[in-house]
Amino acid sequence: MWSRRTSHTLWQLGPLPPLGPELARRAARTSAGQSEPAAAREKCPLPGLKMPFARADIGAFFQEQPRLGNQYLEDAFLQRYLEAHLPPQVLEPVSLDLERFGACVAAEIDSLGRECELSPPTLQHYDAWGRRVDHIVTCPAWKRMKEIAAEEGLIAEAYERRYSSWSRVHQVAKLYLYSPSAGCFTCPLAMTDGAAKVIESLGISGPLVKAFGQLTSRDPRKFWTSGQWMTERKGGSDVASGTESVAREQPDGTYCLSGFKWFTSATDSDMTLTLARIMDAQGCVKQGSRGLTLFFLEVRDQEGKLNGIEIQRLKEKLGTRQMPTAELLLDGCKAHRISEVGRGVASIANMLSITRMHNVIASVAGMRRMISLARAYASKRVVFGKFLKDHPLHMQTMARLEVETRGAFLLLMEIARLLGLEETKMAGEQDLHLLRLLVPVAKLYTGKQAIAVISEGLECFGGQGYVEDTGLPVALRDAQVLTIWEGTTNILALDVLRSLTKSQGQVFTVYCSAVQEKLELASSISGLGSSVQLLQDALHRLHQFMQRVGSKRAPAIELAARDFAYTLARIYTGALLLEHAAQPGASSIDTYTAQRWCKQDLCPVDSEEKTGCYDAQAASLDTALVYEGSKL
């Protein structure tokens, strides 16, 4: 019988209900090797015949659990990617670090993550003497996660730049191994990384010197995590009209903040970045995005008391229960202005790029972990006389999930590669355009992929995939937030269109050139010709769509936004898979993966446009369809 806190695997059984007095006596005699009294034996209708389940072990379970091994050593695709891209002098130390860390994930971190799920945070409003303390109580495992993040340099690695532009790739690969076992500690790490990026881009000076040093420290005693307090009562993505918080300048140059933050993740962090409107001497503020300014504040003062902050309540969420998420009242909160007045939204752009990339990491890593466990289970579970892995239909299903996951992984690593170039001043203008486009595309697409792949992956375990004690359902509950955090699918699809508009089409031109370069590399490789042609055709259809719709009025383009973003994701991912299959060390499986990817509809925006989905009447018909029969 497995304890809820025993193994570092996800397959764990909970405590059993207490036995009744008679069953307890029987169990004691059985464990001691004693037989039942004669009177009890005589009650058996067939003396001497051992009846099935007559002395069944309460809670016995006959399906062998999948074990979590070293996720680096078991991920051949990750290893081949690093071998294909990292210089030899970087590959060796990075591989050794990832192999060592993969063992740590299996030996310690995974069990800590499970403990975070079983012991969620609580809010203590008052102490025993009636004083308001607003203390968020987290479990020891959550605190240990913070120590590990510092010791392993999960943030520091990206800013030390030991391996130049490849430091980001190293960090992302490490977080990819860590994320599914982290008990949602990746959320505060995402915001910590984003805060460090913003501070570095704005210039490290004044109070930000200390903050940046703490955010990027490897010393657990100094390491800080950061929050990101942008969401207020009027909603999430529309910060321009939704931000009500105000800031009044003080004689010493600091600011006093007042407002209500409706959704703050990782509220136990040490600091945060937040938006507010500066109030003038007459008590007036400027509305719209140009009225927003970015501020930095420490959550607690030097005495450990909350910095003019009241915690109203913790949120009850579908998933991510391991992490404290709260509603906060800012009432005289001391803060420092770190952006130019009215330039708050522009200043947080770097933070959003980083946190969206972390969202992609969580999506891809979640898919990989579910497949890893399902693969282990398929080699142990016997159904209809043979292992699951020997059933062709089951393997076909898992292969489809594997193709989705490998494609998503390459999209993630492409962002990490481009970000590394940007941070080390090695990126050209085309690299910057491509990074700007791919971040929202990858976030929206992989968020959807994660839910679909993880949901299908749970089916691979049958009923056990639906039982909380196995630790499997939490993966699906936590995945649902990945389409919501840092911008919903539609918000990001519109952001993709915005990137094209602001660059006057240059972003799209760069995208097409990048795809074409990868296709040219793959075209000379045997076995890839037909897949290259399929992608060429899809790219041609995309060009035709842009010519037909690009000149139309805005509503038509907006209706196409989601399908357009999906098209960009599928074509670019296909090009990445073909490029990977064309590398010298690629395997025949890499070729097969690329072939499988390219057999889907690579240009859904063209397919949907030809069916009339973006016609002039489509918007009104869509509304009529949704609200038919409604009195709203």
Side-chain angles (χ1 to χ4, degrees):
M1 181 174 67
W2 291 92
S3 162
R4 290 175 74 92
R5 295 171 169 78
T6 297
S7 169
H8 62 259
T9 66
L10 289 173
W11 203 262
Q12 298 160 322
L13 297 180
L16 299 170
L19 301 176
E22 178 57 28
L23 285 175
R25 284 194 292 272
R26 288 190 185 184
R29 283 194 294 268
T30 301
S31 63
Q34 301 173 4
S35 61
E36 288 287 318
R41 291 198 302 271
E42 289 173 0
K43 295 179 182 178
C44 180
L46 298 173
L49 178 64
K50 184 176 181 180
M51 298 294 291
F53 303 106
R55 293 193 178 96
D57 293 331
I58 303 299
F61 192 60
F62 300 115
Q63 295 182 31
E64 188 172 352
Q65 67 191 83
R67 301 285 180 175
L68 185 68
N70 187 317
Q71 294 300 283
Y72 176 69
L73 294 179
E74 294 181 7
D75 195 335
F77 196 66
L78 167 60
Q79 293 177 54
R80 280 204 300 279
Y81 174 86
L82 297 177
E83 290 168 0
H85 291 274
L86 297 188
Q89 67 274 18
V90 175
L91 175 63
E92 183 177 0
V94 166
S95 296
L96 289 174
D97 184 56
L98 294 177
E99 181 178 346
R100 176 199 57 79
F101 186 62
C104 292
V105 169
E108 179 188 10
I109 294 172
D110 194 65
S111 60
L112 291 172
R114 182 63 172 152
E115 183 66 29
C116 292
E117 165 73 10
L118 297 172
S119 303
T122 58
L123 174 59
Q124 178 189 358
H125 271 306
Y126 300 93
D127 67 11
W129 306 100
R131 285 186 293 265
R132 181 81 181 253
V133 292
D134 287 357
H135 177 52
I136 295 177
V137 181
T138 56
C139 67
W142 181 260
K143 296 178 176 63
R144 175 60 185 145
M145 283 293 192
K146 185 177 181 181
E147 295 174 352
I148 291 173
E151 294 165 354
E152 292 290 343
L154 295 181
I155 301 301
E157 191 64 56
Y159 295 91
E160 293 169 347
R161 303 196 174 107
R162 292 186 295 168
Y163 307 120
S164 187
S165 67
W166 298 110
S167 290
R168 266 296 175 187
V169 170
H170 180 203
Q171 181 216 26
V172 168
K174 205 165 184 177
L175 287 167
Y176 168 75
L177 299 177
Y178 172 73
S179 180
S181 296
C184 266
F185 202 80
T186 45
C187 178
L189 291 183
M191 293 182 289
T192 301
D193 199 349
K197 178 72 171 178
V198 168
I199 292 172
E200 186 179 54
S201 65
L202 292 177
I204 307 171
S205 60
L208 295 182
V209 173
K210 174 187 175 184
F212 185 78
Q214 306 285 77
L215 294 172
T216 58
S217 176
R218 287 180 180 263
D219 186 346
R221 297 167 298 178
K222 298 179 180 178
F223 179 59
W224 275 4
T225 55
S226 177
Q228 177 186 320
W229 299 354
M230 308 298 172
T231 305
E232 301 198 1
R233 294 179 297 181
K234 290 186 178 180
S237 297
D238 187 8
V239 295
S241 62
T243 302
E244 301 173 309
S245 295
V246 296
R248 188 184 291 274
E249 189 171 8
Q250 303 301 297
D252 62 357
T254 64
Y255 285 77
C256 183
L257 269 57
S258 299
F260 192 89
K261 300 298 181 179
W262 187 80
F263 196 98
T264 63
S265 293
T267 317
D268 63 329
S269 292
D270 304 281
M271 60 158 282
T272 192
L273 300 184
T274 188
L275 293 172
R277 302 183 188 278
I278 295 179
M279 183 180 291
D280 62 22
Q282 289 72 42
C284 299
V285 297
K286 188 174 184 178
Q287 297 301 321
S289 62
R290 293 176 182 265
L292 293 174
T293 301
L294 185 63
F295 295 87
F296 149 74
L297 63 92
E298 295 185 35
V299 175
R300 295 182 180 273
D301 60 23
Q302 293 182 350
E303 297 178 357
K305 296 179 181 179
L306 286 170
N307 172 20
I309 300 167
E310 287 188 5
I311 303 175
Q312 302 300 299
R313 65 169 179 151
L314 293 183
K315 295 288 194 181
E316 294 287 340
K317 299 167 292 181
L318 169 67
T320 66
R321 299 170 184 172
Q322 310 93 319
M323 172 188 61
T325 303
E327 294 178 9
L328 302 179
L329 175 65
L330 308 185
D331 187 13
C333 183
K334 181 179 179 180
H336 300 271
R337 178 175 64 84
I338 62 172
S339 76
E340 295 179 17
V341 175
R343 293 283 297 168
V345 174
S347 299
I348 63 169
N350 281 321
M351 171 172 260
L352 289 176
S353 293
I354 295 294
T355 52
R356 285 171 177 174
M357 182 190 72
H358 277 260
N359 206 97
V360 179
I361 295 171
S363 297
V364 181
M367 290 188 270
R368 169 55 60 210
R369 179 61 57 84
M370 184 57 68
I371 291 175
S372 178
L373 291 169
R375 182 173 61 184
Y377 188 60
S379 66
K380 302 176 184 299
R381 171 70 165 140
V382 176
V383 181
F384 301 120
K386 56 185 178 182
F387 290 116
L388 275 175
K389 68 182 183 66
D390 295 325
H391 288 272
L393 183 58
H394 188 76
M395 285 296 97
Q396 180 197 68
T397 302
M398 287 197 63
R400 288 172 176 170
L401 304 183
E402 182 70 33
V403 170
E404 289 290 326
T405 302
R406 292 188 180 205
F409 172 80
L410 290 183
L411 196 53
L412 165 64
M413 300 312 284
E414 179 75 345
I415 292 174
R417 183 186 70 82
L418 292 169
L419 181 60
L421 292 174
E422 182 265 332
E423 291 177 324
T424 53
K425 313 299 182 185
M426 299 170 63
E429 185 179 0
Q430 292 191 351
D431 296 320
L432 297 177
H433 279 314
L434 201 53
L435 179 63
R436 170 65 181 90
L437 177 67
L438 290 182
V439 168
V441 165
K443 190 278 180 185
L444 72 86
Y445 196 74
T446 60
K448 288 295 188 185
Q449 282 179 300
I451 294 173
V453 168
I454 292 172
S455 178
E456 186 74 57
L458 291 183
E459 280 194 56
C460 295
F461 298 91
Q464 303 313 313
Y466 198 69
V467 177
E468 285 286 354
D469 283 343
T470 64
L472 292 168
V474 64
L476 183 58
R477 286 192 283 104
D478 287 351
Q480 185 62 61
V481 81
L482 298 172
T483 60
I484 299 173
W485 270 349
E486 311 309 325
T488 60
T489 306
N490 284 349
I491 290 295
L492 288 165
L494 294 175
D495 188 44
V496 168
L497 292 185
R498 214 162 23 245
S499 72
L500 269 63
T501 302
K502 285 189 174 182
S503 69
Q504 298 181 328
Q506 289 185 52
V507 164
F508 184 68
T509 301
V510 168
Y511 168 88
C512 293
S513 297
V515 170
Q516 197 62 50
E517 287 177 11
K518 298 178 191 308
L519 296 184
E520 289 174 3
L521 175 66
S523 61
S524 60
I525 305 300
S526 175
L528 296 179
S530 59
S531 298
V532 169
Q533 188 58 53
L534 288 170
L535 264 175
Q536 290 277 21
D537 293 343
L539 193 60
H540 179 66
R541 290 168 59 198
L542 179 59
H543 272 290
Q544 289 183 321
F545 166 80
M546 292 295 287
Q547 291 173 357
R548 289 194 305 270
V549 179
S551 60
K552 293 185 179 180
R553 56 190 177 87
I557 300 174
E558 182 175 327
L559 285 177
R562 181 186 282 235
D563 296 326
F564 179 70
Y566 285 0
T567 297
L568 295 179
R570 289 182 185 174
I571 290 177
Y572 202 85
T573 301
L576 287 170
L577 286 165
L578 286 168
E579 179 187 50
H580 182 77
Q583 298 297 323
S587 70
S588 59
I589 298 301
D590 293 325
T591 298
Y592 181 64
T593 302
Q595 292 170 340
R596 287 288 297 265
W597 181 273
C598 293
K599 289 178 181 178
Q600 64 182 308
D601 183 359
L602 296 169
C603 193
V605 71
D606 175 67
S607 304
E608 294 295 309
E609 192 264 341
K610 288 178 178 176
T611 63
C613 288
Y614 316 136
D615 289 348
Q617 298 299 316
S620 60
L621 288 173
D622 287 344
T623 303
L625 173 62
V626 172
Y627 281 97
E628 185 182 22
S630 172
K631 296 180 180 179
L632 299 174

